[in-house]
Amino acid sequence: MIRTTDSGSGTDSYRNVAAIVIALAILQMATGALSVVGPLTLVSQGAAPLKIGAIVSSYALGFMLGARLAPREIMQIGHIRAIAGFAAAASLGAAALYVSGAMAWWMLVQFIIGLSVAGFLASGESWIADAAPSQSRGAILGFYLVTSKLGFMAGPFLVAGAPAGTATGFLIVAALLTASLIPVCATRRAEPAAPTAKPFSPLRIWKIAPSAIIAALVSGMVSGAVLQLYAVFIQDFAVGSVTQTAAWFNAAMIGGSVLATWPAGMLSDRMDRRMVIAGLAMVAGAAALVMALFSGMLPRMAIFTIAAIWGAGALSYYGVAVAHAADRAPEGQATSMMSGILMVWALGSMIGPLAASTVMSFIGPSGLFLFAAVTLFSLTGLMLVRRTGTAPVRDEDKSDFEPTATTSVSVVEMTERAEEDQEWSEAPEAEFEDASWRD
């Protein structure tokens, strides 16, 4: 049987997914803005770091459950209804955060927002995976991931002028969540099939690729803590507007990760991926240690530079860990393996803010990056130990690195399909041998 490919120009390929990509970029703008507005509002209300960490962890718990349960909901009501429902719930939640400063209220609302954001991402990303033509799926995946990160970078700048603790920031976040529905309503594409991957249990992944479990868990702990609590940390050196300083700090971290992801992945294709993870974690750990010890003495540009170095190390090795898991996955089960890794990352993102905020409650805001430094150095040591105890995967047995994201199972499926399409395109003769009866 001859395998067919989707027709259409490269421009048409991007036009097919443009509306959904824009919607998800606006969603990321909202989450980026909320990562500044939420913590700074709690600080203005006199909340202790441990309280802020618990509230952030409730968001991560909602996100983890949403990522796991969203495919079932999409299957029952369809993508458009699911996106509309999730966006509406998240928008109401963002506005409702200003209603009360009670910890229980914030934890409940943040849980709902986290679940809704995960559901929106799963719906939108499965749509992209279905709409992307096979011959350009990898390129479209990269385009989406970069656009998504740019959206997260832009979000904090949209609330940079809003005074901490006022309703303005929450209204901007709610408006962005509502605006994310507009491109979805404008698309004329038919709804795709629901995601189908069923994640492996962490125990099963541990038996196959323990290094991937360790790296994904630490990645979730560190990124979940820093990306949700950095607005609390930057108050010690913020000059002028705290929200504006937070926006530039976030942009530096995310910008560093964008620049480092591809080089790190390509390097891991040529050497033991565990060594690449160890090297990135060491760089990020060193940057975090400098940030924790000297941020009060350094000029702002130096701090932003160190933040970019930290982002390049700490926010780029998750994809390498996913690739390591895919290398060791049983035949035909890489997608389920990668989906399980995502669940492990989500668990780490729930644990990290609690652990980091506990450290911050004892030694102050600098405890955030001190926690990150200790955790990342520990990851470096664990990867080196694993490297000496288990032989690396041979280069010829490795899957090619593809960018991935800690968002939903749908991106995992799209990554796997992109790899399959690349393998097919590199060996077309084998596909046509089965069609010899036509001659």
Side-chain angles (χ1 to χ4, degrees):
M1 180 178 179
I2 298 178
R3 178 172 178 170
T4 60
T5 57
D6 299 325
S7 60
S9 67
T11 303
D12 290 337
S13 299
Y14 287 93
R15 188 181 298 119
N16 286 340
V17 300
I20 305 302
V21 169
I22 292 171
L24 292 174
I26 297 173
L27 175 68
Q28 292 288 12
M29 286 182 194
T31 60
L34 186 60
S35 71
V36 173
V37 172
L40 289 182
T41 297
L42 291 169
V43 169
S44 70
Q45 295 171 354
L50 193 56
K51 176 181 177 179
I52 300 173
I55 290 170
V56 169
S57 291
S58 68
Y59 174 93
L61 175 60
F63 190 95
M64 181 172 66
L65 292 179
R68 185 67 183 266
L69 301 177
R72 184 186 307 169
E73 188 68 19
I74 296 168
M75 190 175 298
Q76 291 177 349
I77 66 175
H79 285 71
I80 292 179
R81 290 187 180 89
I83 288 174
F86 289 131
S91 180
L92 288 171
L97 285 174
Y98 189 69
V99 171
S100 170
M103 181 176 178
W105 175 253
W106 272 69
M107 290 183 71
L108 173 62
V109 174
Q110 285 279 37
F111 173 85
I112 294 171
I113 294 174
L115 190 149
S116 301
V117 168
F120 195 134
L121 286 167
S123 305
E125 289 174 353
S126 65
W127 204 321
I128 293 173
D130 182 81
S134 59
Q135 70 270 20
S136 55
R137 187 169 287 126
I140 287 176
L141 174 61
F143 164 68
Y144 160 63
L145 293 178
V146 171
T147 303
S148 179
K149 288 199 173 188
L150 290 176
F152 191 83
M153 289 171 60
F157 287 101
L158 299 180
V159 295
T166 65
T168 305
F170 294 105
L171 291 176
I172 292 173
V173 174
L176 287 170
L177 289 166
T178 303
S180 65
L181 279 171
I182 297 174
V184 177
C185 295
T187 185
R188 293 180 293 176
R189 285 196 56 84
E191 294 189 39
T196 58
K198 296 181 179 180
F200 279 179
S201 69
L203 181 59
R204 186 175 180 185
I205 302 174
W206 177 265
K207 293 178 179 178
I208 299 171
S211 295
I213 283 277
I214 295 169
L217 182 67
V218 172
S219 174
M221 291 174 63
V222 172
S223 62
V226 174
L227 293 182
Q228 294 297 331
L229 297 174
Y230 70 90
V232 179
F233 168 78
I234 57 93
Q235 292 183 99
D236 281 353
F237 60 84
V239 177
S241 171
V242 177
T243 51
Q244 188 174 50
T245 302
W248 282 110
F249 192 86
N250 174 71
M253 292 189 296
I254 303 301
S257 72
V258 170
L259 294 176
T261 295
W262 269 111
M266 295 189 332
L267 181 62
S268 74
D269 284 341
R270 293 164 174 77
M271 61 183 295
D272 190 338
R273 299 197 201 273
R274 292 169 298 187
M275 296 300 293
V276 176
I277 294 172
L280 291 170
M282 181 177 291
V283 169
L289 187 60
V290 172
M291 191 77 74
L293 297 179
F294 304 110
S295 60
M297 311 176 204
L298 297 171
R300 285 210 305 171
M301 284 307 300
I303 292 173
F304 293 150
T305 301
I306 295 168
I309 295 171
W310 181 88
L315 303 181
S316 62
Y317 71 78
Y318 173 80
V320 180
V322 169
H324 176 74
D327 292 340
R328 296 178 179 272
E331 184 69 26
Q333 297 183 351
T335 301
S336 294
M337 171 81 88
M338 294 156 73
S339 302
I341 291 291
L342 174 61
M343 294 298 106
V344 173
W345 178 91
L347 176 63
S349 71
M350 186 174 62
I351 297 170
L354 281 174
S357 61
T358 301
V359 178
M360 294 168 73
S361 66
F362 285 105
I363 65 174
S366 63
L368 175 62
F369 277 98
L370 185 60
F371 162 79
V374 171
T375 308
L376 288 163
F377 285 142
S378 299
L379 176 61
T380 299
L382 288 169
M383 289 298 103
L384 294 176
V385 169
R386 292 296 311 167
R387 171 66 176 82
T388 58
T390 307
V393 177
R394 296 179 302 176
D395 289 345
E396 57 268 27
D397 294 332
K398 284 184 176 181
S399 302
D400 289 338
F401 174 83
E402 292 287 346
T404 189
T406 53
T407 47
S408 77
V409 172
S410 304
V411 155
V412 171
E413 289 186 331
M414 188 174 178
T415 301
E416 181 67 10
R417 287 164 64 181
E419 291 176 351
E420 291 173 355
D421 293 333
Q422 182 177 2
E423 291 172 1
W424 174 80
S425 65
E426 290 174 352
E429 297 83 0
E431 296 290 332
F432 285 92
E433 286 177 0
D434 293 337
S436 57
W437 58 272
R438 291 179 179 270
D439 294 336

